Amino acid sequence: MKKSALVIVDVQNDFCPGGALAIENGDAVVPAINRYIERFKAAGLLVYVTRDWHPEKTIHFKEYGGKWPAHCVKWTVGARFHPGLRLPEGAVIITKGDGPDEDSYSAFDGKDHGGRQFSEALRGNGINHLYVGGLATDYCVRQSVLDALKEGFGVTVLLDAVRGVDVNPGDSRRAIDEMIEKGADTTTSEEFDLS
Ligand code: VGL
Ligand code: ZN
């Protein structure tokens, strides 16, 4: 039997306009995600929310050999969830990137509050299908979806609830094509059906 959960990836201030690693229109995903949250809540299904959560010094940052300006440094305003996000009671936070040697993007490298790996947390709740939205299409969303498929989860990407960085023009489009090619489905708010 299909048992679904909603996975909201990295909807944090630093990835939204005005943030340290702002995605154009990154905050435009918030209303769509809030609508999906309502529908999962109404269906009694779990919501997982991932956060990029870096130390001040990490190989993930340019200054220490990585690719990115400093962003989502733990406990800073930039690392907070976007204030418009209406997280339901019981949402499970998955923290990732919090080690100084971590340069990973995937929710599957993250852990819940009890230190359980994301995949274990999902399996522990009998979940086998993930609906994924958030930021950024071409990094954390892409890598999380590809890892989910590898781990044997069914995946549906919420097209109206993702936005990409597009370091190279077209990266987000290519990421979506790749996720579909590897087995993901896609939907939008209008087509969405939890069955
Ligand atoms: C992300 C770049 C660096 C993401 C995280 O959440 O997609 N992108 N760190
Ligand atoms: Zn990061």
Side-chain angles (χ1 to χ4, degrees):
M1 215 185 89
K2 182 173 169 184
K3 187 168 177 191
S4 298
L6 177 62
V7 180
I8 303 164
V9 177
D10 297 2
V11 182
Q12 293 164 273
N13 288 326
D14 271 343
F15 294 124
C16 293
L21 189 43
I23 295 162
E24 208 182 317
N25 287 324
D27 56 343
V29 301
V30 170
I33 289 178
N34 285 337
R35 286 195 297 274
Y36 285 113
I37 287 173
E38 285 308 314
R39 293 160 86 166
F40 276 77
K41 222 165 70 173
L45 297 172
L46 272 171
V47 175
Y48 291 86
V49 50
T50 77
R51 61 180 182 184
D52 214 31
W53 196 249
H54 300 306
E56 275 176 39
K57 290 185 189 174
T58 162
I59 60 157
H60 186 62
F61 293 167
K62 231 178 242 160
E63 201 184 335
Y64 307 99
K67 181 168 181 167
W68 307 103
H71 62 276
C72 296
V73 173
K74 50 179 88 169
W75 307 117
T76 63
V77 173
R80 284 190 201 153
F81 294 119
H82 186 282
L85 201 60
R86 288 205 296 271
L87 292 180
E89 218 176 288
V92 179
I93 295 176
I94 300 293
T95 298
K96 64 185 177 61
D98 61 340
D101 306 318
E102 277 180 59
D103 191 28
S104 63
Y105 299 103
S106 176
F108 286 85
D109 294 325
K111 295 185 171 70
D112 69 11
H113 270 311
R116 273 200 308 180
Q117 286 286 337
F118 187 38
S119 58
E120 301 309 315
L122 292 168
R123 289 196 183 101
N125 284 316
I127 291 157
N128 53 23
H129 195 102
L130 308 179
Y131 287 83
V132 182
L135 308 170
T137 314
D138 37 357
Y139 288 93
C140 285
V141 170
R142 170 183 175 274
Q143 200 56 59
S144 300
V145 166
L146 296 180
D147 282 351
L149 293 166
K150 263 188 228 158
E151 297 260 359
F153 294 93
V155 180
T156 303
V157 180
L158 304 170
L159 290 178
D160 54 340
V162 296
R163 289 289 183 286
V165 180
D166 288 315
V167 171
N168 309 298
D171 279 353
S172 294
R173 185 63 245 174
R174 280 189 292 277
I176 287 176
D177 289 344
E178 184 185 8
M179 292 184 262
I180 292 169
E181 195 178 299
K182 300 264 166 70
D185 282 330
T186 61
T187 193
T188 59
S189 293
E190 292 90 64
E191 295 172 356
F192 179 71
D193 171 13
L194 257 177
S195 61

